[in-house]
Amino acid sequence: MNAKITTFLNSGLLEKYLLGETTSAETEMVESYISKYPEVQNFYNTLQYNLEIVTKSNAVEAPKNILDNILDELDDTPVVPLNATKKYKSWYKLSIAASIAAFLFAGTSYLFYQQNQKLNEENQVVVDEIFDLRSDIEANNKKLDEVMDQFMELNDPNTYKYIIQGNSLAKDLKTVAYINPKEKTSMIDVVSLPELPEEQCYQIWAELQGKMVSLGILSEADRQLKMIPYTEDALALNITIEPKGGNTRASLDHMVAEIELH
């Protein structure tokens, strides 16, 4: 790989291009490099793959029916009809008309009071819905920031990728560990875990010199990138079958997967 391509790959322009943050001139340059150099094309494909992994593993469903609920609340606000007061030509009916008018005024006032109370309640519902929506947006923005951090971590040249596959005790087991000794971070992506009896679970361990340190329990429900404790000077990662809830000591006779670390 020549110095020109190396300089380009280290510039970060490919990452910016993938995230849609390049200028028009930078976009033209990136697309030119991708079309001319196979090394750049391969690196770009790797970035796309890693972004897809991060995005899928952190996919979050957007809030449902919030906008519909707000519109329904607004549409349900009733229109109050105003009753016209009849005119009477005869003076002897004035007293009756006055009584009727007073009754109608009192009834209408009470009706308006009820409708106003209901409208206040409906407005409060709308305010609560909007507040919840804003909270969801803030939570999603925070989640997006976490996704981008994971994406950058995957593409850090100091991050090592380890594919951990099961032995004869768990042939379909497959997980991928990402370890960055420079940043002292560890992540794991659970790809597949064979089903266990309810009273058992999978537990992952870091092997030190003569010692096994628990890094947590693995579950099929955790099929997404997640952080695990970083262990300095770990020699290997091991996965064992343990009693439900985990164990304080690794059951080495029930080890189902292991991989040595660099």
Side-chain angles (χ1 to χ4, degrees), residues 6-262:
T6 301
T7 300
F8 174 77
L9 293 178
N10 292 332
S11 69
L13 283 177
L14 268 179
E15 288 86 347
K16 288 178 61 180
Y17 174 76
L18 189 60
L19 299 175
E21 296 179 353
T22 52
T23 63
S24 56
E26 289 173 337
T27 297
E28 185 176 348
M29 173 186 284
V30 171
E31 292 176 349
S32 174
Y33 269 76
I34 291 176
S35 62
K36 288 182 180 179
Y37 303 107
E39 299 95 328
V40 177
Q41 175 70 55
N42 290 337
F43 191 74
Y44 176 67
N45 291 339
T46 300
L47 290 179
Q48 283 187 311
Y49 174 75
N50 287 341
L51 180 59
E52 182 179 356
I53 290 177
V54 174
T55 302
K56 286 183 178 180
S57 66
N58 291 276
V60 177
E61 292 187 7
K64 297 179 179 179
N65 300 324
I66 289 181
L67 180 58
D68 290 339
N69 290 341
I70 293 175
L71 294 177
D72 288 343
E73 291 294 343
L74 293 175
D75 289 341
D76 288 342
T77 303
V79 177
V80 180
L82 297 177
N83 295 316
T85 304
K86 296 182 179 180
K87 295 183 179 180
Y88 294 90
K89 297 180 181 180
S90 303
W91 286 100
Y92 72 90
K93 294 182 179 179
L94 285 178
S95 59
I96 298 176
S99 299
I100 294 175
F103 176 77
L104 290 176
F105 177 76
T108 304
S109 297
Y110 179 70
L111 179 61
F112 273 120
Y113 172 77
Q114 285 187 315
Q115 298 301 333
N116 185 61
Q117 290 296 106
K118 183 178 180 180
L119 183 59
N120 287 337
E121 293 174 0
E122 292 171 346
N123 286 341
Q124 186 59 47
V125 171
V126 173
V127 170
D128 292 342
E129 293 282 6
I130 293 175
F131 180 79
D132 291 341
L133 180 59
R134 288 177 178 173
S135 299
D136 289 337
I137 291 174
E138 291 176 358
N140 287 339
N141 286 339
K142 182 179 180 181
K143 191 69 175 179
L144 180 60
D145 290 340
E146 294 174 356
V147 168
M148 296 313 301
D149 289 342
Q150 290 178 344
F151 173 67
M152 298 306 294
E153 185 75 22
L154 286 182
N155 292 290
D156 190 322
N158 295 300
T159 297
Y160 294 90
K161 176 180 179 180
Y162 299 93
I163 298 176
I164 309 172
Q165 294 181 311
N167 57 22
S168 59
L169 297 178
K171 294 181 180 179
D172 295 330
L173 184 149
K174 183 176 181 181
T175 62
V176 183
Y178 300 90
I179 299 177
N180 188 321
K182 182 178 180 181
E183 299 295 332
K184 300 188 184 303
T185 58
S186 299
M187 294 187 297
I188 193 163
D189 181 16
V190 176
V191 180
S192 63
L193 290 175
E195 188 174 355
L196 288 174
E198 187 177 350
E199 66 275 8
Q200 293 180 328
C201 69
Y202 293 102
Q203 191 166 351
I204 184 168
W205 308 80
E207 180 181 343
L208 300 175
Q209 293 183 351
K211 184 178 180 181
M212 301 287 278
V213 179
S214 175
L215 302 182
I217 295 174
L218 300 181
S219 170
E220 186 71 19
D222 295 330
R223 295 190 62 180
Q224 59 180 4
L225 277 174
K226 69 173 186 177
M227 301 297 296
I228 58 174
Y230 176 79
T231 306
E232 190 78 38
D233 300 325
L235 302 176
L237 292 178
N238 301 274
I239 299 176
T240 61
I241 296 176
E242 304 292 348
K244 183 178 180 180
N247 212 343
T248 56
R249 291 187 177 183
S251 302
L252 299 182
D253 53 336
H254 289 92
M255 183 179 297
V256 295
E258 63 178 324
I259 191 168
E260 294 183 357
L261 303 180
H262 296 310

